[in-house]
Amino acid sequence: MESFVLKLPPSFRIIKQSPNCTNRTFRTVPFASATAPAPLSTDSQLGPGSLGYLTRPDFPILHQELNGKRLVYLDNAATSQKPEPVLNALRNYYEAYNSNVHRGIHYLSAKATDEYELARQKIANFINASEGREIVFTRNATEAINLVAYSWGMSNLKKGDEVVLTIAEHHSSIVPWQFVAQKTGAVLKFVSLTEDEVPDLGKLRETLSRQTKLVVVHHVSNVLASVLPIDEIVSWAHEVGAKVLVDACQSVPHMVVDVKSLNADFLVASSHKMCGPTGIGFLYGKSDILADMPPFLGGGEMISDVYLDYSTYAEPPSRFEAGTPAIGEAIGLGQQ
């Protein structure tokens, strides 16, 4: 397997799999490497052809010095910095057409609604969703997972049903299902790691059964450097009638993610890890599944008709976007 080693402090070791590699085994490698690049400090070391050299001018926050040295930012797994087009989109929304969406017929509201929905369609195109209505805007990936947990999970899980996860999942992918399991009587089953410290796919497949109703897995782990074969996992899950929720926060910004090819039922990602604004993320869900799910939150825009004793609900994605959304943030995400 071909690997690339990034020189970091001794406590860190990272591997990036070659795109052409078909070997599913991932290993950590020794920190020392004769081929490791030198630490980045000047543009000349970056080189005029490097991605860093070409894109650094687009990020205003990097145009500063700390302790006499140009700022270098390496914490993108936690949150990424924002390029000029994203900042301009946010500024332009608030300066030129700040208005609520789907609530007015005046010019500003129509303009805001058009740009908001255009951002939704851009995201759908980016991950190759069948249509824009398969994209639900949320505050972040965590809220997207909770949406699935409380809407789909509370409606479809019952005592004895199983949700399969790996112990490598982010706690945002674990805690909501603990809540749902406590309320429904469903059982959480965790797949351990191999001796190579990556999720044990053989064990995962063995764990699946007709009692399995949902599999929750990450696509890429920024901790273990594991890249899971989501298409295979989805195939295994569907064989036993289970659905699959994919945490794609680390994969969507760095690799091609095609939801049609993966065939996942749900997929979540967060804007702030892909050079977009904070406070906005999205849930992808197959349209037929979303159509059968009840609302997650109640309030403006998620309703069709309201009576004193009951209400009818809008079609997805509006059904899951109660209240005034993060309009500027969604438009900023659409600039990516």
Side-chain angles (χ1 to χ4, degrees):
M1 181 175 71
E2 183 179 355
S3 302
F4 302 91
V5 181
L6 175 65
K7 191 173 183 181
L8 292 172
S11 60
F12 291 85
R13 292 180 295 178
I14 296 178
I15 286 182
K16 180 179 180 181
Q17 185 189 23
S18 167
N20 297 321
C21 177
T22 57
N23 190 329
R24 295 297 186 184
T25 302
F26 296 83
R27 299 175 183 273
T28 54
V29 296
F31 166 72
S33 171
T35 60
L40 305 180
S41 59
T42 67
D43 286 343
S44 62
Q45 287 177 308
L46 284 169
S50 71
L51 181 62
Y53 182 89
L54 294 173
T55 59
R56 184 182 178 95
D58 295 332
F59 293 82
I61 198 170
L62 301 180
H63 303 172
Q64 61 178 301
E65 292 187 354
L66 294 178
N67 300 318
K69 297 182 181 296
R70 294 183 67 184
L71 176 64
V72 175
Y73 182 83
L74 298 175
D75 199 21
N76 291 287
T79 197
S80 59
Q81 298 302 335
K82 321 307 173 192
E84 196 82 47
V86 170
L87 300 176
N88 288 341
L90 284 167
R91 184 181 302 111
N92 187 44
Y93 165 71
Y94 285 110
E95 290 182 351
Y97 58 98
N98 174 41
S99 185
N100 218 321
V101 293
H102 301 298
R103 299 187 185 188
I105 59 174
H106 57 85
Y107 169 79
L108 295 182
S109 180
K111 171 70 171 175
T113 299
D114 287 346
E115 293 297 325
Y116 181 76
E117 292 303 328
L118 177 60
R120 190 194 308 278
Q121 187 59 52
K122 286 180 178 179
I123 294 170
N125 295 342
F126 189 63
I127 63 171
N128 198 30
S130 296
E131 50 191 334
R133 67 192 186 103
E134 291 185 322
I135 304 299
V136 178
F137 283 127
T138 59
R139 287 186 304 158
N140 42 49
T142 298
E143 182 174 87
I145 295 168
N146 275 270
L147 192 164
V148 177
Y150 283 95
S151 180
W152 182 89
M154 292 296 292
S155 300
N156 289 276
L157 295 177
K158 62 183 185 302
K159 186 175 182 179
D161 288 343
E162 297 173 357
V163 177
V164 175
L165 314 92
T166 80
I167 64 171
E169 300 312 308
H170 190 282
H171 59 257
S172 293
S173 290
I174 297 176
V175 176
W177 299 106
Q178 291 176 337
F179 292 160
V180 171
Q182 291 168 3
K183 294 177 182 296
T184 63
V187 177
L188 304 187
K189 288 198 167 183
F190 290 90
V191 175
S192 59
L193 305 182
T194 67
E195 61 182 17
D196 296 314
E197 298 181 346
V198 294
D200 189 332
L201 296 182
K203 186 66 175 177
L204 189 154
R205 189 170 189 179
E206 291 175 4
T207 304
L208 300 179
S209 71
R210 288 294 172 183
Q211 283 69 51
T212 306
K213 302 305 177 185
L214 180 70
V215 178
V216 180
V217 289
H218 63 273
H219 196 178
V220 173
S221 171
N222 65 318
V223 176
L224 302 178
S226 53
V227 182
L228 300 186
I230 298 300
D231 53 346
E232 295 179 27
I233 293 172
V234 169
S235 178
W236 302 338
H238 287 177
E239 285 177 2
V240 298
K243 302 197 182 309
V244 179
L245 166 61
V246 179
D247 175 356
C249 287
Q250 304 295 346
S251 61
V252 169
H254 298 294
M255 58 193 288
V256 174
V257 175
D258 183 333
V259 294
K260 288 181 184 175
S261 177
L262 296 177
N263 200 24
D265 303 286
F266 302 106
L267 181 142
V268 304
S270 194
S271 165
H272 75 97
K273 292 189 178 182
M274 50 193 296
C275 299
T278 58
I280 187 76
F282 67 86
L283 163 69
Y284 158 80
K286 291 181 177 178
S287 57
D288 58 329
I289 300 176
L290 293 178
D292 287 338
M293 289 166 51
F296 172 44
L297 298 172
E301 297 312 304
M302 50 73 62
I303 49 88
S304 176
D305 296 295
V306 178
Y307 302 93
L308 294 181
D309 52 351
Y310 74 96
S311 298
T312 59
Y313 308 124
E315 293 298 314
S318 296
R319 180 182 303 176
F320 306 108
E321 295 180 7
T324 298
I327 303 168
E329 287 73 12
I331 293 170
L333 173 57
Q335 293 299 307
Q336 293 305 92

